[in-house]
Amino acid sequence: MKPFFQLHNGLMREGPGTADDVAWALEVAKTPKAARMCDAGCGPGTDAVTLAKLRPAGTVHAIDTLRHFCVAARSRLSHLRERATVEQGDMAQITGPYDLIWSAGALYFIGVTEGLNAWVKQLAPGGRIAFSEPVLLRAPTEKVSEFWAEYPEITNYEGIVTRVRKAGCRVLDHRMIVGQGWANYYDPMQARINLLRPTASPELIEALDAGQWEIDQWRSAPEEFAYALLVVEPT
Ligand SMILES: C[S@@+](CC[C@H](N)C(=O)[O-])C[C@H]1O[C@@H](n2cnc3c(N)ncnc32)[C@H](O)[C@@H]1O
C-alpha cells in the first residue's frame, strides 16, 4: 500500500466536517424524505452514511476517483444495501437527477464555478447543492499560504460567492466549519501517526512527516482559515 494510504487507512474523514453539518445542510436545502442524493468526492463515505441515516427513505450515490476510498466507502455503506451505491469515477460527470448534491471539501478539485455549472444540470426540479470549500478568514500569513500552496486559488467567503454567482447560482445559507470539524479530521490522523511512526519505513516516515506538518500548521493558526459550507440553488 502506498505510504499516503497507509497513513489514511481507516480514517473516517478526509477533510473537516461533522454529522451536524450534514444535518444542517439537509434542513437548509429542504431535502425531501425520499431524496435522491449524491455524495460527490465521498472519500471514505462517512457523510454518505449520515445522508442515508437522516433521509431513511432516500438513496445515496457516492463517487470518488480513488479506489482506496471507494473500497472504504463501500464497506461503510454495505449495511444500507440498495439504498447506497459507490462508484469509482469522476464527479464532474455525474448523472442525475438529484434532489441534493453534497460535496465536502472536494469541489475545489474541479473548480467551484466549473463544478457547479456541471452539477446544476443534474439537479431535479427544486434540487440543491451543498458543498464545503476552503476559505481564508483573514489576509493570509506566509505560513497559511504555504499550507494552501497546492490550492493558490483559495479565497475569502465573498470570493466563493462570486464563483457561485458565475455559475448562475445563489446562496441560500452558509456556515463556517471550524474547531470540532477540523479535530474530527486531524485527531484520528494524529493517532495514526503516533501508532505508525515507531515501525515506519523511510517512505512512510515521509508521509507521516507531511501529515504532521499539516496538523501542526492548522493547530498553530486555527483562526486564519476554515471551510465554508454553502447551500446553493440555480437562479
Ligand atoms: C478532501 S477529500 C474529502 C473527502 C470526503 N468528502 C470527506 O469529507 O471525508 C476530497 C475527495 O475528493 C476526491 N476527488 C477529487 N477529485 C475528484 C473527482 N474529479 N471526482 C471524484 N472525486 C474526486 C478525492 O479523491 C478525495 O477523496
Side-chain angles (χ1 to χ4, degrees), residues 4-5 11-17 39-48 63-67 69-70 87-94 102-110 119 132 185 227:
F4 174 86
F5 292 117
L11 296 185
M12 303 232 347
R13 308 199 55 85
E14 280 301 316
D39 184 351
C42 62
T46 290
D47 288 343
I63 180 165
D64 202 285
T65 39
L66 294 180
R67 199 184 74 84
F69 291 141
C70 290
E87 176 191 350
Q88 184 180 358
D90 182 1
M91 64 186 177
Q93 310 286 334
I94 56 171
W102 164 267
S103 186
L107 182 54
Y108 73 94
F109 282 93
I110 57 173
W119 289 353
S132 61
Y185 177 41
Y227 265 38

Side-chain angles (χ1 to χ4, degrees), residues 12-13 15-27 31-33 35 37-39 42 44-62 73 76-80 83-84 100 102 104 175 184 229:
M12 303 232 347
R13 308 199 55 85
T18 65
D20 188 60
D21 292 322
V22 179
W24 174 86
L26 285 166
E27 286 310 300
T31 303
K33 279 188 181 149
M37 299 172 284
C38 178
D39 184 351
C42 62
T46 290
D47 288 343
V49 172
T50 306
L51 288 167
K53 198 167 139 197
L54 295 176
R55 288 295 178 273
T59 56
V60 184
H61 182 64
R76 195 158 272 126
L77 289 158
S78 60
H79 66 289
L80 296 164
R83 282 216 298 128
L100 180 77
W102 164 267
R175 59 152 57 171
N184 284 354
L229 175 60

